[in-house]
Amino acid sequence: GAVVSQHPSWVICKSGTSVKIECRSLDFQATTMFWYRQFPKQSLMLMATSNEGSKATYEQGVEKDKFLINHASLTLSTLTVTSAHPEDSSFYICSARRLVDEKLFFGSGTQLSVL
Amino acid sequence: AQSVSQHNHHVILSEAASLELGCNYSYGGTVNLFWYVQYPGQHLQLLLKYFSGDPLVKGIKGFEAEFIKSKFSFNLRKPSVQWSDTAEYFCAVNDYNTDKLIFGTGTRLQVFP
């Protein structure tokens, strides 16, 4: 089956630093990738839609200068949490839409803890 | 704005019991409907989906869901659960117009032997 690799799976950082999360489709091409955030006991919230070669589309209330998204190739999208603060601590999940049939596949998620 | 409601936050069952997890959405347009499952320590995986046609959809591992348009519902069912069904289940709706996938809050299912 199609695999989406998300790295790192767990990261702890100091307040004020930046953290980059990678989302790779290992065996398929994905023109569109999605980034979600999940707070404990809450739903997955869509943060942004990332399209290869163009600017990401952010959901209302998501700061694009804080959550930088880059989708430079058909197999890689990155989310950079800039100047992280404790309130950014959350579980971040990416998904990739397979080009050939538009099926969605999810990464394993990244638990971010900001101290 | 579209929303997805999952009424059962935590369900506890014994093996062989029947399961029904509720999912309602608020959107009058054309939608695609999904159930995803997340087993402990694993990725989200697609359980089943409805795009069009027969409103009773059969998925993997004996799960099925019925799309009832008049009730804006897409409940997940399984006649006889197993211990291995212990997981978090998410209902999701994809809005044709915006192409966004909106998730419910999830239902945690625990099945005891």
Side-chain angles (χ1 to χ4, degrees):
Chain A
V3 176
V4 174
S5 172
Q6 190 172 337
H7 179 80
S9 56
W10 187 46
V11 57
I12 301 174
C13 69
K14 291 183 180 180
S15 187
T17 60
S18 295
V19 174
K20 181 185 281 189
I21 303 170
E22 289 188 352
C23 181
R24 289 180 187 271
S25 55
L26 295 186
D27 51 0
F28 64 95
Q29 292 183 327
T31 51
T32 306
M33 291 186 177
F34 301 90
W35 287 95
Y36 293 87
R37 183 175 179 177
Q38 185 180 25
F39 292 101
K41 298 185 180 181
Q42 294 190 33
S43 180
L44 286 160
M45 301 298 295
L46 179 64
M47 298 176 65
T49 302
S50 166
N51 293 296
E52 187 265 338
S54 63
K55 290 183 179 180
T57 304
Y58 290 81
E59 293 303 299
Q60 193 172 12
V62 178
E63 298 176 62
K64 59 183 177 183
D65 294 331
K66 182 168 185 62
F67 297 100
L68 299 178
I69 290 173
N70 184 275
H71 192 161
S73 76
L74 287 172
T75 59
L76 174 65
S77 176
T78 60
L79 168 68
T80 302
V81 183
T82 62
S83 187
H85 290 283
E87 57 264 30
D88 299 325
S89 298
S90 189
F91 191 64
Y92 295 85
I93 301 178
C94 73
S95 70
R97 176 177 285 152
R98 189 162 62 183
L99 183 61
V100 294
D101 57 9
E102 299 196 342
K103 286 186 177 179
L104 270 180
F105 299 91
F106 287 83
S108 54
T110 298
Q111 181 66 53
L112 170 63
S113 297
V114 184
L115 305 178
Chain B
Q2 305 92 343
S3 66
V4 180
S5 299
Q6 289 183 246
H7 318 295
N8 319 100
H9 298 291
H10 190 186
V11 174
I12 301 173
L13 295 172
S14 298
E15 275 193 318
S18 64
L19 170 73
E20 180 159 2
L21 301 182
C23 173
N24 287 87
Y25 64 94
S26 64
Y27 183 65
T30 304
V31 293
N32 296 331
L33 299 156
F34 306 81
W35 275 97
Y36 286 90
V37 60
Q38 188 169 26
Y39 297 103
Q42 296 188 30
H43 301 200
L44 272 172
Q45 300 171 43
L46 181 65
L47 205 53
L48 50 77
K49 64 180 185 285
Y50 171 80
F51 279 9
S52 64
D54 188 345
L56 184 61
V57 180
K58 295 199 182 293
I60 59 172
K61 303 185 181 183
F63 286 90
E64 65 178 31
E66 186 174 11
F67 170 50
I68 302 179
K69 191 174 182 180
S70 60
K71 294 185 178 180
F72 297 92
S73 70
F74 190 56
N75 292 355
L76 181 71
R77 299 193 293 248
K78 185 171 184 177
S80 176
V81 294
Q82 300 172 314
W83 175 79
S84 57
D85 293 324
T86 294
E88 187 98 21
Y89 292 82
F90 293 91
C91 179
V93 173
N94 176 221
D95 172 16
Y96 261 55
N97 292 326
T98 64
D99 203 28
K100 296 177 188 177
L101 193 61
I102 311 297
F103 285 85
T105 50
T107 298
R108 184 182 174 206
L109 172 65
Q110 280 185 291
V111 180
F112 289 96

